[in-house]
């Protein structure tokens, strides 16, 4: 560098003095920073106030929240509670002396699951019906006696007496097996098959007993009493067979009132005027 230029530059630096560089945020940047800090403080205060308000409204305490209390035995709810998601619990019970209510706008479903979350049993209570889905359904008394049982094979009624209070009676589309069928005291018992046959079978006999009234059997076409290996006994002080056909008189002009009861080979009964000997053979035309 020439000596003249170096001398001129040195003279200029000496005349201007040392340069000072300022460090920091000034101007509009500083004002924006203060504004954001103030806004952050306001948000913190509002958030803190909202948190305190929520804690106050929801009644948060060291024991629980609102009607929910945390005890040594589990969770305790006081008052009405609403669950928007499924509830999983080992045991649900009410306070001693108070009932337990399950209320829903549609239905209440209780599921029993296995280890693979497969439904084993289900109880659905809806507005139309109460449904139970299970392999077997049982109703027992407090002592453990079976009252009712139902599965795929059979339905068992374990009560000592089964009462049907319907005005139309009980309809059995198929067979029924029971040792005793009887009506309530001072009520009549009626066994009826409107469109089909009524068959009663028993390996050791059938007993029909009406101790305080009469016994009536009515059919539209044919009533048959059949005994394959035994006999049919009609034991009564008076036996009436009205409307039996009568055979022709053995002698003209006979007006006697004594008749003989005859049986045709096909089992048909008819009356024939009695004589010194049997007159059934004379009136065989009735059996035709």
């Amino acid at each position: 560098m020439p000596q003249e230029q170096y001398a001129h530059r040195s003279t200029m630096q000496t005349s201007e003095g040392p340069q000072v560089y300022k460090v920091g945020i000034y101007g509009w940047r500083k004002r924006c920073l203060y504004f954001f800090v103030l806004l952050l403080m306001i948000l913190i205060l509002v958030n803190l106030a909202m948190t305190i308000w929520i804690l106050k409204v929801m009644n948060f305490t060291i024991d629980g929240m609102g009607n929910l209390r945390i005890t040594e035995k589990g969770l305790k709810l006081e008052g009405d509670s609403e669950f928007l998601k499924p509830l999983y619990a080992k045991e649900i019970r009410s306070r001693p002396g108070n009932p337990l209510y399950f209320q829903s706008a549609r239905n209440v479903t209780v599921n029993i699951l296995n280890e693979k979350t497969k439904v084993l049993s289900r109880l659905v209570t809806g507005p139309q019906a109460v449904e139970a889905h299970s392999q077997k359904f049982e109703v027992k008394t407090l002592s453990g006696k079976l009252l009712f049982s139902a599965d795929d094979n059979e339905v068992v009624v374990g009560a000592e007496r089964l009462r049907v209070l319907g005005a139309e009676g009980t309809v059995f589309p198929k067979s029924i097996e029971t040792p005793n069928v009887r009506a309530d005291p001072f009520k009549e018992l009626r066994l009826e098959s409107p469109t089909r046959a009524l068959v009663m079978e028993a390996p050791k006999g059938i007993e029909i007993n009406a101790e305080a009234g009469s016994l009536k059997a009515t059919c539209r076409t044919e009533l048959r009493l059949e005994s394959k290996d035994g006999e049919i006994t009609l034991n009564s002080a008076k036996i009436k067979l009205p409307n039996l056909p009568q055979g022709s008189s053995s002698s003209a002009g006979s007006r006697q009132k004594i008749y003989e009861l005859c049986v045709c080979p096909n089992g048909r009964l008819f009356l024939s005027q009695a004589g010194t000997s049997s007159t059934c053979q004379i009136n065989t035309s009735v059996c035709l």
Side-chain angles (χ1 to χ4, degrees):
M1 180 181 294
Q3 186 175 2
E4 293 83 3
Q5 293 181 0
Y6 178 76
H8 178 71
R9 187 172 181 179
S10 300
T11 304
M12 290 178 61
Q13 290 179 357
T14 304
S15 61
E16 292 178 359
Q19 294 183 359
V20 180
Y21 295 96
K22 297 181 180 180
V23 179
I25 301 175
Y26 298 94
W28 63 272
R29 294 183 180 87
K30 183 177 181 180
R31 290 191 294 271
C32 289
L33 178 61
Y34 287 160
F35 175 75
F36 284 121
V37 171
L38 180 61
L39 180 61
L40 181 61
M41 292 179 63
I42 293 173
L43 291 178
I44 292 174
L45 293 176
V46 172
N47 191 10
L48 181 60
M50 292 294 294
T51 303
I52 296 174
W53 179 76
I54 292 175
L55 293 176
K56 183 66 177 177
V57 172
M58 300 299 294
N59 194 14
F60 275 95
T61 61
I62 59 175
D63 296 330
M65 176 188 69
N67 296 330
L68 180 64
R69 295 290 183 267
I70 301 176
T71 62
E72 296 179 354
K73 298 181 180 180
L75 299 178
K76 181 179 180 181
L77 288 173
E78 298 178 354
D80 298 337
S81 301
E82 182 178 356
F83 298 93
L84 302 180
K85 297 290 184 177
L87 175 63
Y88 299 92
K90 182 179 180 181
E91 182 181 359
I92 300 176
R93 62 181 181 179
S94 63
R95 292 183 298 177
N98 293 332
L100 178 63
Y101 294 98
F102 291 95
Q103 184 175 357
S104 174
R106 292 189 177 180
N107 55 43
V108 176
T109 304
V110 180
N111 293 331
I112 307 298
L113 309 178
N114 58 5
E115 295 80 3
K116 299 181 180 179
T117 66
K118 183 180 178 180
V119 178
L120 298 179
S121 300
R122 175 179 297 172
L123 178 63
V124 181
T125 58
Q128 301 295 334
V130 177
E131 299 180 1
H133 302 267
S134 176
Q135 294 182 356
K136 190 174 183 179
F137 180 77
E138 292 183 351
V139 178
K140 296 183 178 180
T141 61
L142 295 177
S143 60
K145 181 181 178 181
L146 181 64
L147 296 180
F148 181 83
S149 175
D151 56 14
D152 294 338
N153 297 325
E154 62 179 1
V155 176
V156 179
V157 179
E160 296 181 357
R161 177 182 298 180
L162 175 62
R163 298 184 61 187
V164 181
L165 303 179
E168 301 265 334
T170 307
V171 179
F172 297 97
K174 296 185 178 180
S175 63
I176 175 175
E177 181 177 352
T178 177
N180 189 8
V181 178
R182 64 181 180 181
D184 288 339
F186 307 104
K187 300 291 183 179
E188 64 176 10
L189 176 63
R190 184 173 183 180
L191 302 178
E192 181 181 3
S193 179
T195 58
R196 294 294 184 270
L198 179 60
V199 179
M200 294 185 291
E201 296 181 353
K204 293 185 178 181
I206 297 176
E207 180 181 355
I208 302 176
N209 187 11
E211 296 180 356
S214 59
L215 178 64
K216 182 179 181 181
T218 305
C219 66
R220 181 173 295 275
T221 57
E222 183 178 356
L223 177 63
R224 178 181 297 179
L225 300 177
E226 181 179 354
S227 177
K228 295 181 179 179
D229 299 331
E231 62 182 9
I232 298 176
T233 303
L234 302 177
N235 186 5
S236 176
K238 183 184 294 186
I239 298 177
K240 292 184 178 182
L241 298 175
N243 300 326
L244 287 179
Q246 296 182 9
S248 59
S249 177
S250 59
S251 60
S254 177
R255 296 181 180 181
Q256 62 178 358
K257 300 295 183 181
I258 301 175
Y259 295 91
E260 181 181 0
L261 180 62
C262 304
V263 182
C264 297
N266 58 3
R268 186 177 183 182
L269 301 178
F270 67 95
L271 297 178
S272 177
Q273 291 184 357
T276 56
S277 61
S278 178
T279 59
C280 294
Q281 297 177 356
I282 301 177
N283 298 285
T284 54
S285 59
V286 181
C287 300
L288 299 178

